Amino acid sequence: MKRNKGTVYFVGAGPGDPKLLTLRGAELLQEADVIVYDRLVNTELLNHAKQGSELIYCGKQPQTSCISQEEINDILIFHGKKGQTVVRLKGGDSSVFGRVGEEAAACRQNGLLYEIVPGITSGIAAPAYAGIPLTHRELSSSFAVVAGHRRKEGKKEEINWGSLATGIDTLVFYMGVKQIGMIQENLLLNGRPASTPVAVIQWGTCDVQRTVTGTLETIAEDVKTKKIQSPAIIVVGEVVRLREELAWFEEKLESSPVFQEAISL
């Protein structure tokens, strides 16, 4: 296959805190001719861009009309074929619910070189900032990350709730706040104890991070009462109990004016 001169770099931007960007990611942002970035990317990261680089926003807002995946692919291919260095900047890690497989395949089919640069995914970072390690020698030897949004109408259910509910110690749901009632119901129906601790972390690693804890029996109502909205990560498992002792980030935030203003809204 004939190769074009341009290269597309799929860079994980990390979960929100701009200091969690990798050194390789920062290096590529400084070299990029074009940066194509998502909604959950902290825009402070764009300060790494060199003068004259083109910044293209391709964020997908939930439940609104937005740029399609095909259009994003076309943007990457167009600039790559012009011989430009393109950074596709994605929140968290592009290989975890980031569609990097689809976009990298489109680049390959069009003769473009590409590189995948891992980032810190929110499903690990947000719990860590909330004082919740996903594994623990006495409490959890396994964890799974799960897409929490509802499947499209007419498609086969993608989640094996029977295996997930009792076969994995710690469960981490992405994009699941609006469907927390469905998640709660399916885990309970498939044998997860109602007393299982649950945490929901909104805007993890950011200076407005909020965490709500409860049990699998109460968490849907807890989230509603506390008005937790996306973006948020849901953690289900005994490791959530460790937060009582290990919460560190929010203790630092307690004196922050930005945080106090956010929780008063």
Side-chain angles (χ1 to χ4, degrees):
M1 178 183 292
K2 181 181 178 182
R3 294 290 184 187
N4 291 283
K5 293 181 180 180
T7 302
V8 178
Y9 295 92
F10 298 95
V11 176
D17 183 343
K19 293 182 180 179
L20 295 179
L21 178 70
T22 64
L23 292 175
R24 178 60 172 157
E27 177 183 71
L28 290 170
L29 286 174
Q30 292 163 7
E31 297 174 357
D33 301 309
V34 180
I35 299 173
V36 183
Y37 65 101
D38 280 350
R39 180 177 70 94
L40 295 180
V41 167
N42 189 323
T43 54
E44 287 187 35
L45 296 180
L46 301 178
N47 293 332
H48 290 284
K50 66 183 180 182
Q51 186 174 3
S53 62
E54 183 176 357
L55 307 178
I56 302 174
Y57 176 70
C58 287
K60 295 181 178 181
Q61 192 75 19
Q63 298 181 327
T64 62
S65 58
C66 58
I67 187 169
S68 70
Q69 186 60 57
E70 290 73 21
E71 289 173 311
I72 294 173
N73 293 351
D74 289 343
I75 289 170
L76 301 177
I77 293 163
F78 172 78
H79 290 282
K81 284 187 173 181
K82 288 173 64 176
Q84 294 178 302
T85 297
V86 182
V87 165
R88 175 71 169 107
L89 192 62
K90 293 171 171 282
D93 178 274
S94 60
S95 297
V96 181
F97 306 124
R99 298 193 179 185
V100 71
E102 299 171 47
E103 294 178 8
C107 290
R108 184 174 183 84
Q109 291 164 7
N110 284 273
L112 294 175
L113 295 174
Y114 60 90
E115 179 180 321
I116 300 174
V117 180
I120 300 174
T121 184
S122 59
I124 293 174
Y129 270 52
I132 304 170
L134 297 186
T135 62
H136 186 278
R137 285 194 300 168
E138 297 176 0
L139 299 175
S140 174
S141 60
S142 61
F143 72 90
V145 295
V146 187
H149 54 72
R150 185 179 294 276
R151 65 185 175 87
K152 292 183 179 180
E153 196 67 32
K155 283 195 173 183
K156 182 181 178 182
E157 176 65 75
E158 297 175 351
I159 298 175
N160 185 334
W161 290 103
S163 298
L164 197 65
T166 58
I168 305 294
D169 294 325
T170 305
L171 304 176
V172 182
F173 290 90
Y174 290 60
M175 305 166 287
V177 171
K178 290 185 180 298
Q179 302 298 332
I180 195 165
M182 177 271 293
I183 293 169
Q184 177 189 53
E185 179 183 7
N186 278 286
L187 291 177
L188 289 171
L189 286 174
N190 284 278
R192 196 79 170 200
S195 60
T196 303
V198 182
V200 183
I201 308 153
Q202 180 181 21
W203 286 111
T205 80
C206 297
D207 58 8
V208 290
Q209 175 177 307
R210 296 175 63 203
T211 303
V212 171
T213 58
T215 66
L216 192 54
E217 184 176 35
T218 68
I219 195 61
E221 186 61 31
D222 296 333
V223 164
K224 181 179 179 181
T225 300
K226 298 295 184 179
K227 300 181 180 180
I228 297 293
Q229 299 178 346
S230 64
I233 290 291
I234 302 168
V235 185
V236 180
E238 294 300 317
V239 290
V240 172
R241 299 187 192 279
L242 298 172
R243 170 175 163 78
E244 297 177 9
E245 180 181 355
L246 300 181
W248 62 275
F249 182 62
E250 287 161 39
E251 290 180 0
K252 291 176 63 176
L253 291 178
E254 286 180 356
S255 60
S256 165
V258 175
F259 180 74
Q260 292 300 325
E261 181 181 353
I263 64 175
S264 67
L265 295 177

